């Protein structure tokens, strides 16, 4: 039914067993939403030593979504991510990622995405296209998203949810550090998978 034609089950909940109200008319979903970092995640997966994956996330981020119920293609997104918040579960690795070999977090503390267009792909699937800036490099990025629904939470907040992902080559943004392996190949793959799980609250 699409982004502005879907209603949630009244049994959905958020951190509590209290009931959640069914959405009002689809047009009511139009508006500006603030991403809720406590219930959202921005993560990544990268191949390590050719044989396994390292997964991590950025724990500090903020952003807004603007939804247009009459014209979903006019919707927009803006996200800022604090590089220093990178977390792969190993402190030494995180410190290396923050260093000049990778993100150089001291000089470039924020990674940002600003959308330039949006596209409905059918059903609850969408693509948002924009500019991703890492360090001092800005390049286009397309993110495929699925609309998970909307609900009024037990605190009276109207929420929407999306999840999705994208793939990038880190070298396109100047992240080129690597180390050769004795058995052939390199320590860190160029390809990085990005994942997004977003919950956002409608502005009053």
């Amino acid at each position: 039914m699409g982004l502005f034609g879907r209603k949630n089950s009244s049994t959905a909940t958020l951190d509590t067993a209290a009931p959640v109200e069914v959405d009002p008319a689809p047009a009511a979903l139009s508006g500006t939403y603030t991403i809720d970092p406590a219930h959202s995640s921005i993560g990544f997966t990268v191949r390590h030593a050719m044989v396994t994956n390292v997964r991590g996330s950025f724990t500090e981020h903020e952003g807004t979504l603007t939804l247009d119920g009459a014209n979903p293609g006019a919707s927009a997104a803006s996200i800022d991510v604090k590089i220093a918040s990178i977390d792969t579960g190993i402190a030494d690795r995180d410190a290396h990622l923050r260093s000049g070999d990778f993100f150089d977090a001291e000089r470039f503390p924020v990674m940002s995405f600003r959308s330039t267009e949006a596209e409905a792909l059918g059903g609850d699937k969408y693509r948002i296209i924009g500019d991703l800036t890492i360090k001092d490099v800005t390049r286009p990025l397309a993110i495929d998203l699925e609309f998970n629904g909307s609900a009024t939470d037990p605190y009276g907040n109207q929420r929407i949810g999306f999840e999705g992902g994208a793939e990038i080559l880190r070298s396109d943004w100047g992240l080129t550090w690597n180390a050769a392996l004795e058995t052939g190949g390199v320590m860190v793959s160029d390809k990085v998978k990005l994942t997004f799980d977003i919950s956002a609250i409608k502005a009053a």
Side-chain angles (χ1 to χ4, degrees):
M1 296 177 63
L3 175 56
F4 298 103
R6 173 176 171 177
K7 293 187 178 182
N8 259 20
S9 165
S10 61
T11 60
T13 60
L14 177 72
D15 296 340
T16 177
V20 175
E21 299 174 14
V22 174
D23 286 332
L29 293 178
S30 294
T32 299
Y33 293 75
T34 300
I35 293 175
D36 177 7
H39 296 92
S40 302
S41 65
I42 297 176
F44 60 89
T45 303
V46 62
R47 183 76 72 179
H48 177 261
M50 306 296 291
V51 297
T52 190
N53 290 318
V54 168
R55 293 177 174 83
S57 64
F58 296 93
T59 60
E60 295 183 41
H61 48 82
E62 60 185 18
T64 59
L65 306 176
T66 302
L67 303 185
D68 187 329
N71 179 17
S75 299
S78 172
I79 302 173
D80 291 319
V81 176
K82 291 186 178 180
I83 295 298
S85 72
I86 196 168
D87 182 7
T88 65
I90 297 179
D92 287 346
R93 180 166 59 204
D94 295 342
H96 190 199
L97 290 170
R98 295 185 192 104
S99 76
D101 283 345
F102 286 94
F103 287 104
D104 199 356
E106 186 171 337
R107 292 180 59 206
F108 306 102
V110 175
M111 172 173 60
S112 66
F113 176 79
R114 299 289 185 269
S115 69
T116 55
E117 59 183 293
E119 178 184 2
L121 302 179
D124 290 324
K125 298 185 183 299
Y126 298 84
R127 178 171 294 141
I128 189 160
I129 301 168
D131 294 323
L132 174 65
T133 300
I134 303 175
K135 298 172 75 171
D136 55 352
V137 179
T138 299
R139 292 181 61 89
L141 175 68
I143 304 171
D144 287 339
L145 296 168
E146 182 171 359
F147 178 58
N148 286 340
S150 60
T152 301
D153 70 26
Y155 309 103
N157 300 309
Q158 185 175 349
R159 290 179 176 267
I160 55 172
F162 291 90
E163 63 180 321
E167 290 188 358
I168 66 171
L169 298 178
R170 61 188 180 92
S171 59
D172 287 344
W173 280 267
L175 303 176
T176 58
W177 183 92
N178 228 320
L181 302 175
E182 291 184 4
T183 54
V186 292
M187 182 69 72
V188 185
S189 68
D190 193 17
K191 183 172 71 174
V192 180
K193 296 179 181 179
L194 305 177
T195 57
F196 304 88
D197 196 344
I198 302 296
S199 176
I201 299 172
K202 191 174 186 180

